[in-house]
Amino acid sequence: MKARTVRLWSVVHTWTSLISTVFLLLLCLTGLPLIFHHEIDELLGYAPRPEAHASAARATPQQVADAALAADPGRVMQYISWDKDEPGIVTAFTNNAVDGLPDNATVRAFDAVSKKLLGPVGVGPMLIVLKLHTDMFVGQGGKLFLGAMGLLFAVAIVSGVVLYWPFTRRQRFAAIRDRASRRVVWLDWHNLIGVVTVAWALVVGLTGVVNTWAELMLSQWKATELASMVAPYAGKPPPSHLASLDDVVTRAKQAAPGMEIAFIAYPGTPFTSSHHFAAFMRGDTALTARLLKPVLLDGETGDVADSRALPVYLQALLISQPLHFGDYGGMPLKLIWAALDILTIIVIGSGLYLWLARRRRRTPAGADAFAKRAPVPS
């Protein structure tokens, strides 16, 4: 690689790293507890637990919905969901309007058998951590900004890989020059940890970027595929009365044999049209359980209106969400994700230290000359 090319890549690596550093540290520090958010919620008492029942019949979906409305008078149902990992719990979302803002929603867990209210969902300190991680409490603008920082992070990783060979070709792989200055030692550790974690950092960084586009993807789906699915109902007013949720569940399962319901969106919510229930069906394998298939049902009669596979971009979003947090392989994968997250924090912090150290010592000398000409790694 020519010297001019190396300098160009060095500038790209330095500034993409510096611009994104503070926000990447925020994402890594908040992402670490989010890997274990289920376990933390349980430890702090914020995870509802189902009651113990001896082969009792499950309550019907409509009975659970009625219980949710009774627990939140004056509000309306938005969604009802069934967690694959918690079959004894049904989660209900109520709001002041069917198209109410997500921040105004009340999310409660109910026992799947007794319909008893088990407690709120999504409360406690982990909610604050999640909001910091996803949008920094500034909504969609914050999500898109963090997505841009994720793209800069990806560029910093790629440029760091490009520069790795020119600046380490005279060294053995994983060599740490422990007899050199502290800055050289940190540079060697920075390069080593960066190379070891490069694949994981790219995967987590890019899936995080995809997640920040979720609302844009949903809007695109509604404007294209969903609009086509509900075209025969154009001009019809919203339902004057809603079909029984029990009928909606039964017919949705008949329309998607071998699948189970992940959640149902009520007419008028962001996941469906003003006239339809949308039942989002999932498979029963590790992969298909993450890929949803919508079934639209008439809001008044419960009849199936249409059912189509989600477009590729939404399927990519559904896969990227659990992959981003390591939330599909149990505790062993979570521990691996946590270890790699900590290593990435070290890489980011050491890169900032190297840049500051280079600025403090502008004149390279002796054994540090080579290290001080090296690019600032991310």
Side-chain angles (χ1 to χ4, degrees):
M1 190 182 297
K2 295 181 180 179
R4 182 178 179 181
T5 304
V6 172
R7 286 195 296 271
L8 178 61
W9 278 107
S10 178
V11 170
V12 170
H13 185 66
T14 297
W15 288 105
T16 54
S17 300
L18 287 175
I19 292 171
S20 59
T21 288
V22 173
F23 302 100
L24 290 175
L25 281 174
L26 169 68
L27 292 173
C28 288
L29 290 171
T30 54
L32 186 59
L34 287 173
I35 296 172
F36 304 102
H37 68 96
H38 290 299
E39 293 77 11
I40 293 174
D41 281 342
E42 289 182 357
L43 181 65
L44 298 179
Y46 291 103
R49 296 178 180 273
E51 297 179 316
H53 300 283
S55 65
R58 294 171 66 90
T60 68
Q62 186 62 55
Q63 288 174 336
V64 177
D66 291 341
L69 290 174
D72 205 2
R75 311 257 281 183
V76 297
M77 287 288 296
Q78 282 189 307
Y79 311 100
I80 186 167
S81 68
W82 293 264
D83 191 332
K84 186 177 181 66
D85 298 325
E86 290 287 356
I89 292 178
V90 182
T91 305
F93 297 68
T94 58
N95 209 320
N96 49 21
V98 289
D99 58 351
L101 297 174
D103 288 345
N104 295 333
T106 300
V107 187
R108 292 188 173 97
F110 293 83
D111 188 89
V113 175
S114 68
K115 313 181 296 295
K116 178 182 177 182
L117 174 61
L118 301 177
V121 176
V123 296
M126 293 309 297
L127 177 61
I128 298 174
V129 176
L130 179 62
K131 291 291 289 181
L132 279 172
H133 188 82
T134 55
D135 63 13
M136 300 183 298
F137 291 95
V138 292
Q140 182 62 20
K143 291 180 182 179
L144 296 177
F145 178 80
L146 290 176
M149 294 300 101
L151 288 175
L152 286 180
F153 181 47
V155 174
I157 293 172
V158 172
S159 58
V161 171
V162 171
L163 291 167
Y164 182 78
W165 165 246
F167 287 97
T168 60
R169 65 185 184 275
R170 295 187 180 90
Q171 299 174 226
R172 291 180 294 105
F173 177 75
I176 304 296
R177 293 169 287 180
D178 51 5
R179 295 186 179 181
S181 69
R182 182 173 62 178
R183 185 175 182 277
V184 172
V185 172
W186 270 110
L187 177 64
D188 290 342
W189 276 111
H190 177 89
N191 289 335
L192 174 59
I193 298 173
V195 167
V196 169
T197 59
V198 62
W200 178 86
L202 267 178
V203 168
V204 172
L206 292 177
T207 53
V209 171
V210 171
N211 290 339
T212 65
W213 299 337
E215 292 182 27
L216 300 179
M217 292 180 179
L218 180 61
S219 297
Q220 175 65 17
W221 175 70
K222 291 184 65 175
T224 53
E225 282 83 354
L226 181 60
S228 175
M229 295 169 73
V230 302
Y233 292 78
K236 286 190 174 183
S240 57
H241 66 277
L242 294 178
S244 167
L245 196 61
D246 298 340
D247 292 339
V248 170
V249 168
T250 299
R251 293 174 183 177
K253 290 182 177 179
Q254 292 172 348
M259 304 184 79
E260 59 184 21
I261 297 179
F263 74 95
I264 291 177
Y266 275 65
T269 55
F271 286 88
T272 184
S273 75
S274 62
H275 197 83
H276 294 85
F277 285 98
F280 287 83
M281 316 298 291
R282 63 181 170 224
D284 56 3
T285 68
L287 177 61
T288 59
R290 305 292 182 179
L291 300 176
L292 303 180
K293 180 180 181 180
V295 177
L296 293 188
L297 304 103
D298 188 288
E300 290 187 345
T301 66
D303 294 333
V304 175
D306 202 345
S307 179
R308 304 180 189 180
L310 289 174
V312 173
Y313 58 86
L314 280 181
Q315 294 183 19
L317 172 66
L318 292 173
I319 292 175
S320 70
Q321 288 175 337
L323 184 61
H324 184 69
F325 292 108
D327 193 19
Y328 64 92
M331 183 55 68
L333 188 64
K334 290 185 177 185
L335 292 174
I336 293 173
W337 246 237
L340 291 168
D341 186 287
I342 293 171
L343 290 176
T344 302
I345 292 173
I346 295 173
V347 171
I348 296 171
S350 60
L352 182 60
Y353 160 75
L354 291 168
W355 182 77
L356 292 173
R358 185 174 62 180
R359 288 182 61 84
R360 284 198 302 267
R361 298 181 61 186
R362 296 179 180 276
T363 305
D368 288 342
F370 173 79
K372 290 181 180 296
R373 290 195 299 271
V376 177
S378 61

